[in-house]
Amino acid sequence: MRLAVVAHSDGRAALPMLRTADGQWRRARSGEGVAEALLRLLAEATGTTTRGSFTIRSWTHRIAVGERSIGVDQTNESVIVGDAAVVKWATHLQDGPHPAPRRIAVLRDAGFGGIPQPWGLVTWRQPDGAETLVASVDQYLPGAVDGWTWAVQLITDAARDRRPGPAIDAARDVAALVAELHAALASTATVATMSDAQRWRDAALNTLESVCSLEDSHAVRVARARRGEVAKVLDRLGELGGSPVIEGHGDLHVGQILRADGRFVVTDFDGNPVLQARERILPIPAALDVAGMVQSLSHAAVVARKYTALDPQALAEVDTQVRAAFLDAYTARIGQLGHAGLYDPDAVAPFRTQQVLREIIYAASHLPRWMYVPDAALPALLGEGIPT
Ligand code: ADP
Ligand code: MG
């Protein structure tokens, strides 16, 4: 068995491979034992080992048997082993450095308990020297659902029953988790340069320009009609030079927060897929992660309304309460942890705005059926109310 890096016409892939009876290598499928073999390798190789261009980091002595696939997405193929671990093969390698290895190592060293326990990582050194992630192994959490399930459900229930308590409690728990994540990453803190701030501002304004040139949708029309006002909000990113940045999550939204057994954990440290690899690893203001979460809570409310007939007034109240609870609890917890200085609440609005604009572009280019979300979210964010 092997883990092989293979060149495809559309880039490189890290693939689990098996040798056939006639000596040829072919791609292994889930159930053929290559994920189990990786677990055995990790169990034997605790610490860091290098084999050729591969580096193996292991934090476990455990093994598990019995493979089942939990699906394939655009970048990964995940295999659950023995209901104990999940092995993620990077079936489409990112060119350039990868954010996850360092963030996960820092979180582990800080004793952060808010991620599925990491068992190990395999990285591969590219010909240009950059290290990218080819496989990761984490503790498997049976029954875990992400926020596009749990948050949508809690918001739906809250608006329907006019009982916001459980949704607010969840928002507070997740806020504390995010604050604890940031505190655990505080050792990576540096200070943003003027050129970092310029880059954020220019990227956001470019995103606005791209949105305005898209084909019509409600959100695109709103962006065009209120372009000056939106640009003014985004422009504030240019003032963040000199403020603290950390090697934060970088792609935080409710879909990255799993709930299992009533407990929340944060996953997916692959960075923001809309950025180039070299930018994906750069430090970010903590407010970017906060904005990502807050805006996705708004999006979850839009999703809730699509699937259940809900009183718009009741839903708007829940949406507002949940976001306020998240922000209050985050601010309180990051303060308690002694890291209030990492968080600039004034940066949340521009980053939220950028997030909705990115969703418009994402929907237009990859997922048109998602457009109803930014169609409702952009006017809501600009204080116009949700269009019906
Ligand atoms: P990607 O977004 O690249 O597909 P994620 O790491 O975000 O990968 O995981 C995708 C989904 O797989 C999650 O939404 C969750 O449902 C499931 N999942 C991921 N990690 C675990 C885990 N440790 N335990 C249980 N389920 C998981
Ligand atoms: Mg994900």
Side-chain angles (χ1 to χ4, degrees), residues 70 73 75-76 86 88 116 138-142 144-146 255-256 258 267-268 270:
I70 44 166
D73 67 15
T75 45
N76 300 300
V86 48
K88 216 157 113 173
D138 290 316
Q139 165 197 22
Y140 174 65
L141 303 169
V145 289
D146 74 36
Q256 311 285 35
L258 304 186
T267 61
D268 196 347
D270 294 346

PDB file of all heavy atoms in Angstrom, residues 70 73 75-76 86 88 116 138-142 144-146 255-256 258 267-268 270, ligand 1:
ATOM      1  N   ILE A  70     -17.407   8.400   3.987  1.00  0.00           N
ATOM      2  CA  ILE A  70     -18.471   9.369   4.249  1.00  0.00           C
ATOM      3  C   ILE A  70     -18.520  10.408   3.155  1.00  0.00           C
ATOM      4  O   ILE A  70     -18.972  11.511   3.337  1.00  0.00           O
ATOM      5  CB  ILE A  70     -18.393  10.141   5.596  1.00  0.00           C
ATOM      6  CG1 ILE A  70     -16.996  10.634   5.911  1.00  0.00           C
ATOM      7  CG2 ILE A  70     -19.101   9.447   6.678  1.00  0.00           C
ATOM      8  CD1 ILE A  70     -16.998  11.680   7.047  1.00  0.00           C
ATOM      9  N   ASP A  73     -15.873  15.255  -1.544  1.00  0.00           N
ATOM     10  CA  ASP A  73     -16.270  16.585  -2.017  1.00  0.00           C
ATOM     11  C   ASP A  73     -15.256  17.056  -3.048  1.00  0.00           C
ATOM     12  O   ASP A  73     -14.480  16.246  -3.560  1.00  0.00           O
ATOM     13  CB  ASP A  73     -16.469  17.562  -0.851  1.00  0.00           C
ATOM     14  CG  ASP A  73     -15.157  17.871  -0.142  1.00  0.00           C
ATOM     15  OD1 ASP A  73     -14.088  17.562  -0.712  1.00  0.00           O
ATOM     16  OD2 ASP A  73     -15.207  18.416   0.966  1.00  0.00           O
ATOM     17  N   THR A  75     -12.565  18.596  -2.795  1.00  0.00           N
ATOM     18  CA  THR A  75     -11.147  18.575  -2.464  1.00  0.00           C
ATOM     19  C   THR A  75     -10.707  17.346  -1.690  1.00  0.00           C
ATOM     20  O   THR A  75      -9.520  17.046  -1.649  1.00  0.00           O
ATOM     21  CB  THR A  75     -10.754  19.811  -1.636  1.00  0.00           C
ATOM     22  OG1 THR A  75     -11.735  20.008  -0.621  1.00  0.00           O
ATOM     23  CG2 THR A  75     -10.694  21.057  -2.490  1.00  0.00           C
ATOM     24  N   ASN A  76     -11.646  16.659  -1.069  1.00  0.00           N
ATOM     25  CA  ASN A  76     -11.243  15.591  -0.160  1.00  0.00           C
ATOM     26  C   ASN A  76     -12.096  14.348  -0.335  1.00  0.00           C
ATOM     27  O   ASN A  76     -13.213  14.414  -0.817  1.00  0.00           O
ATOM     28  CB  ASN A  76     -11.433  16.049   1.290  1.00  0.00           C
ATOM     29  CG  ASN A  76     -10.603  17.261   1.609  1.00  0.00           C
ATOM     30  OD1 ASN A  76      -9.397  17.223   1.515  1.00  0.00           O
ATOM     31  ND2 ASN A  76     -11.268  18.347   1.952  1.00  0.00           N
ATOM     32  N   VAL A  86     -11.451   9.631  11.536  1.00  0.00           N
ATOM     33  CA  VAL A  86     -11.791   9.957  10.162  1.00  0.00           C
ATOM     34  C   VAL A  86     -10.515  10.360   9.427  1.00  0.00           C
ATOM     35  O   VAL A  86      -9.752  11.203   9.898  1.00  0.00           O
ATOM     36  CB  VAL A  86     -12.948  11.002  10.074  1.00  0.00           C
ATOM     37  CG1 VAL A  86     -12.730  12.174  10.980  1.00  0.00           C
ATOM     38  CG2 VAL A  86     -13.167  11.486   8.640  1.00  0.00           C
ATOM     39  N   LYS A  88      -8.906  11.874   6.097  1.00  0.00           N
ATOM     40  CA  LYS A  88      -9.257  12.727   4.962  1.00  0.00           C
ATOM     41  C   LYS A  88      -8.093  12.726   3.990  1.00  0.00           C
ATOM     42  O   LYS A  88      -7.005  13.209   4.313  1.00  0.00           O
ATOM     43  CB  LYS A  88      -9.510  14.144   5.506  1.00  0.00           C
ATOM     44  CG  LYS A  88     -10.603  14.907   4.819  1.00  0.00           C
ATOM     45  CD  LYS A  88     -11.155  15.994   5.722  1.00  0.00           C
ATOM     46  CE  LYS A  88     -10.844  17.359   5.191  1.00  0.00           C
ATOM     47  NZ  LYS A  88     -11.510  18.440   5.948  1.00  0.00           N
ATOM     48  N   PRO A 116     -12.055  18.271  17.033  1.00  0.00           N
ATOM     49  CA  PRO A 116     -11.978  16.809  17.152  1.00  0.00           C
ATOM     50  C   PRO A 116     -10.495  16.481  17.392  1.00  0.00           C
ATOM     51  O   PRO A 116      -9.626  17.040  16.722  1.00  0.00           O
ATOM     52  CB  PRO A 116     -12.446  16.307  15.784  1.00  0.00           C
ATOM     53  CG  PRO A 116     -13.218  17.438  15.185  1.00  0.00           C
ATOM     54  CD  PRO A 116     -12.589  18.697  15.718  1.00  0.00           C
ATOM     55  N   ASP A 138      -8.392  12.581  12.222  1.00  0.00           N
ATOM     56  CA  ASP A 138      -8.980  13.155  13.436  1.00  0.00           C
ATOM     57  C   ASP A 138      -9.864  12.127  14.105  1.00  0.00           C
ATOM     58  O   ASP A 138     -10.389  11.220  13.445  1.00  0.00           O
ATOM     59  CB  ASP A 138      -9.887  14.345  13.071  1.00  0.00           C
ATOM     60  CG  ASP A 138      -9.109  15.539  12.577  1.00  0.00           C
ATOM     61  OD1 ASP A 138      -8.086  15.861  13.189  1.00  0.00           O
ATOM     62  OD2 ASP A 138      -9.526  16.134  11.556  1.00  0.00           O
ATOM     63  N   GLN A 139     -10.082  12.341  15.376  1.00  0.00           N
ATOM     64  CA  GLN A 139     -11.086  11.587  16.114  1.00  0.00           C
ATOM     65  C   GLN A 139     -12.434  11.724  15.384  1.00  0.00           C
ATOM     66  O   GLN A 139     -12.802  12.822  14.971  1.00  0.00           O
ATOM     67  CB  GLN A 139     -11.184  12.216  17.510  1.00  0.00           C
ATOM     68  CG  GLN A 139     -12.386  11.828  18.309  1.00  0.00           C
ATOM     69  CD  GLN A 139     -12.594  12.817  19.477  1.00  0.00           C
ATOM     70  OE1 GLN A 139     -12.110  13.957  19.455  1.00  0.00           O
ATOM     71  NE2 GLN A 139     -13.296  12.361  20.474  1.00  0.00           N
ATOM     72  N   TYR A 140     -13.142  10.628  15.216  1.00  0.00           N
ATOM     73  CA  TYR A 140     -14.472  10.677  14.600  1.00  0.00           C
ATOM     74  C   TYR A 140     -15.516  10.901  15.680  1.00  0.00           C
ATOM     75  O   TYR A 140     -15.485  10.264  16.733  1.00  0.00           O
ATOM     76  CB  TYR A 140     -14.753   9.360  13.863  1.00  0.00           C
ATOM     77  CG  TYR A 140     -16.161   9.274  13.322  1.00  0.00           C
ATOM     78  CD1 TYR A 140     -16.587  10.137  12.319  1.00  0.00           C
ATOM     79  CD2 TYR A 140     -17.068   8.333  13.822  1.00  0.00           C
ATOM     80  CE1 TYR A 140     -17.886  10.071  11.828  1.00  0.00           C
ATOM     81  CE2 TYR A 140     -18.363   8.261  13.331  1.00  0.00           C
ATOM     82  CZ  TYR A 140     -18.766   9.142  12.333  1.00  0.00           C
ATOM     83  OH  TYR A 140     -20.036   9.077  11.852  1.00  0.00           O
ATOM     84  N   LEU A 141     -16.420  11.830  15.417  1.00  0.00           N
ATOM     85  CA  LEU A 141     -17.489  12.127  16.372  1.00  0.00           C
ATOM     86  C   LEU A 141     -18.796  11.573  15.824  1.00  0.00           C
ATOM     87  O   LEU A 141     -19.387  12.158  14.910  1.00  0.00           O
ATOM     88  CB  LEU A 141     -17.609  13.645  16.564  1.00  0.00           C
ATOM     89  CG  LEU A 141     -16.326  14.341  17.022  1.00  0.00           C
ATOM     90  CD1 LEU A 141     -16.468  15.854  16.930  1.00  0.00           C
ATOM     91  CD2 LEU A 141     -15.974  13.918  18.444  1.00  0.00           C
ATOM     92  N   PRO A 142     -19.252  10.446  16.348  1.00  0.00           N
ATOM     93  CA  PRO A 142     -20.478   9.849  15.809  1.00  0.00           C
ATOM     94  C   PRO A 142     -21.655  10.815  15.960  1.00  0.00           C
ATOM     95  O   PRO A 142     -21.763  11.505  16.974  1.00  0.00           O
ATOM     96  CB  PRO A 142     -20.689   8.593  16.669  1.00  0.00           C
ATOM     97  CG  PRO A 142     -19.378   8.333  17.325  1.00  0.00           C
ATOM     98  CD  PRO A 142     -18.697   9.656  17.464  1.00  0.00           C
ATOM     99  N   ALA A 144     -22.210  13.592  14.501  1.00  0.00           N
ATOM    100  CA  ALA A 144     -21.935  15.030  14.389  1.00  0.00           C
ATOM    101  C   ALA A 144     -22.731  15.638  13.237  1.00  0.00           C
ATOM    102  O   ALA A 144     -22.841  15.048  12.168  1.00  0.00           O
ATOM    103  CB  ALA A 144     -20.441  15.252  14.164  1.00  0.00           C
ATOM    104  N   VAL A 145     -23.304  16.819  13.474  1.00  0.00           N
ATOM    105  CA  VAL A 145     -23.934  17.574  12.379  1.00  0.00           C
ATOM    106  C   VAL A 145     -23.336  18.972  12.383  1.00  0.00           C
ATOM    107  O   VAL A 145     -22.942  19.489  13.427  1.00  0.00           O
ATOM    108  CB  VAL A 145     -25.478  17.677  12.502  1.00  0.00           C
ATOM    109  CG1 VAL A 145     -26.125  16.337  12.239  1.00  0.00           C
ATOM    110  CG2 VAL A 145     -25.916  18.262  13.830  1.00  0.00           C
ATOM    111  N   ASP A 146     -23.274  19.590  11.199  1.00  0.00           N
ATOM    112  CA  ASP A 146     -22.726  20.945  11.154  1.00  0.00           C
ATOM    113  C   ASP A 146     -23.859  21.964  11.249  1.00  0.00           C
ATOM    114  O   ASP A 146     -25.033  21.623  11.304  1.00  0.00           O
ATOM    115  CB  ASP A 146     -21.806  21.131   9.937  1.00  0.00           C
ATOM    116  CG  ASP A 146     -22.557  21.250   8.616  1.00  0.00           C
ATOM    117  OD1 ASP A 146     -23.644  21.846   8.576  1.00  0.00           O
ATOM    118  OD2 ASP A 146     -22.010  20.752   7.612  1.00  0.00           O
ATOM    119  N   GLY A 255     -21.102  26.162   9.140  1.00  0.00           N
ATOM    120  CA  GLY A 255     -20.827  24.845   8.549  1.00  0.00           C
ATOM    121  C   GLY A 255     -19.536  24.222   9.067  1.00  0.00           C
ATOM    122  O   GLY A 255     -19.309  23.028   8.885  1.00  0.00           O
ATOM    123  N   GLN A 256     -18.700  25.004   9.693  1.00  0.00           N
ATOM    124  CA  GLN A 256     -17.426  24.480  10.235  1.00  0.00           C
ATOM    125  C   GLN A 256     -17.551  24.124  11.705  1.00  0.00           C
ATOM    126  O   GLN A 256     -16.577  23.658  12.308  1.00  0.00           O
ATOM    127  CB  GLN A 256     -16.310  25.525  10.077  1.00  0.00           C
ATOM    128  CG  GLN A 256     -16.212  26.126   8.691  1.00  0.00           C
ATOM    129  CD  GLN A 256     -15.604  25.198   7.675  1.00  0.00           C
ATOM    130  OE1 GLN A 256     -15.800  23.982   7.716  1.00  0.00           O
ATOM    131  NE2 GLN A 256     -14.876  25.761   6.737  1.00  0.00           N
ATOM    132  N   LEU A 258     -19.201  21.751  14.295  1.00  0.00           N
ATOM    133  CA  LEU A 258     -19.959  20.507  14.440  1.00  0.00           C
ATOM    134  C   LEU A 258     -20.564  20.442  15.830  1.00  0.00           C
ATOM    135  O   LEU A 258     -19.947  20.879  16.799  1.00  0.00           O
ATOM    136  CB  LEU A 258     -19.053  19.289  14.245  1.00  0.00           C
ATOM    137  CG  LEU A 258     -18.269  19.183  12.947  1.00  0.00           C
ATOM    138  CD1 LEU A 258     -17.539  17.834  12.886  1.00  0.00           C
ATOM    139  CD2 LEU A 258     -19.180  19.338  11.737  1.00  0.00           C
ATOM    140  N   THR A 267     -13.996  22.750  13.075  1.00  0.00           N
ATOM    141  CA  THR A 267     -13.264  21.882  12.148  1.00  0.00           C
ATOM    142  C   THR A 267     -12.774  22.670  10.928  1.00  0.00           C
ATOM    143  O   THR A 267     -13.128  23.838  10.764  1.00  0.00           O
ATOM    144  CB  THR A 267     -14.162  20.746  11.591  1.00  0.00           C
ATOM    145  OG1 THR A 267     -15.252  21.331  10.889  1.00  0.00           O
ATOM    146  CG2 THR A 267     -14.668  19.842  12.684  1.00  0.00           C
ATOM    147  N   ASP A 268     -12.029  21.975  10.089  1.00  0.00           N
ATOM    148  CA  ASP A 268     -11.660  22.448   8.754  1.00  0.00           C
ATOM    149  C   ASP A 268     -10.734  23.664   8.783  1.00  0.00           C
ATOM    150  O   ASP A 268     -11.178  24.792   8.603  1.00  0.00           O
ATOM    151  CB  ASP A 268     -12.929  22.747   7.934  1.00  0.00           C
ATOM    152  CG  ASP A 268     -12.624  22.870   6.451  1.00  0.00           C
ATOM    153  OD1 ASP A 268     -11.438  22.962   6.102  1.00  0.00           O
ATOM    154  OD2 ASP A 268     -13.576  22.877   5.652  1.00  0.00           O
ATOM    155  N   ASP A 270      -8.500  24.327   6.581  1.00  0.00           N
ATOM    156  CA  ASP A 270      -7.924  24.381   5.238  1.00  0.00           C
ATOM    157  C   ASP A 270      -7.808  25.805   4.697  1.00  0.00           C
ATOM    158  O   ASP A 270      -7.271  26.011   3.614  1.00  0.00           O
ATOM    159  CB  ASP A 270      -8.759  23.547   4.255  1.00  0.00           C
ATOM    160  CG  ASP A 270      -8.713  22.062   4.589  1.00  0.00           C
ATOM    161  OD1 ASP A 270      -7.852  21.664   5.396  1.00  0.00           O
ATOM    162  OD2 ASP A 270      -9.544  21.299   4.058  1.00  0.00           O
TER     163      ASP A 270
HETATM  164  P1  ADP B   1     -14.787  19.731   3.853  1.00  0.00           P
HETATM  165  O1  ADP B   1     -15.525  21.005   4.167  1.00  0.00           O
HETATM  166  O2  ADP B   1     -13.469  19.934   3.214  1.00  0.00           O
HETATM  167  O3  ADP B   1     -15.627  18.711   3.163  1.00  0.00           O
HETATM  168  P2  ADP B   1     -14.849  19.261   6.715  1.00  0.00           P
HETATM  169  O4  ADP B   1     -13.674  18.944   7.552  1.00  0.00           O
HETATM  170  O5  ADP B   1     -15.480  20.587   6.891  1.00  0.00           O
HETATM  171  O6  ADP B   1     -14.404  19.003   5.221  1.00  0.00           O
HETATM  172  O7  ADP B   1     -15.921  18.109   6.961  1.00  0.00           O
HETATM  173  C1  ADP B   1     -17.069  17.958   6.180  1.00  0.00           C
HETATM  174  C2  ADP B   1     -18.140  17.229   6.961  1.00  0.00           C
HETATM  175  O8  ADP B   1     -17.687  15.947   7.427  1.00  0.00           O
HETATM  176  C3  ADP B   1     -18.581  17.970   8.212  1.00  0.00           C
HETATM  177  O9  ADP B   1     -19.569  18.922   7.952  1.00  0.00           O
HETATM  178  C4  ADP B   1     -19.063  16.834   9.088  1.00  0.00           C
HETATM  179  O10 ADP B   1     -20.406  16.534   8.780  1.00  0.00           O
HETATM  180  C5  ADP B   1     -18.172  15.694   8.724  1.00  0.00           C
HETATM  181  N1  ADP B   1     -17.025  15.600   9.652  1.00  0.00           N
HETATM  182  C6  ADP B   1     -15.833  16.230   9.546  1.00  0.00           C
HETATM  183  N2  ADP B   1     -15.026  15.923  10.558  1.00  0.00           N
HETATM  184  C7  ADP B   1     -15.695  15.068  11.351  1.00  0.00           C
HETATM  185  C8  ADP B   1     -15.390  14.388  12.585  1.00  0.00           C
HETATM  186  N3  ADP B   1     -14.212  14.533  13.185  1.00  0.00           N
HETATM  187  N4  ADP B   1     -16.344  13.593  13.106  1.00  0.00           N
HETATM  188  C9  ADP B   1     -17.543  13.446  12.494  1.00  0.00           C
HETATM  189  N5  ADP B   1     -17.890  14.051  11.353  1.00  0.00           N
HETATM  190  C10 ADP B   1     -16.992  14.860  10.776  1.00  0.00           C
END
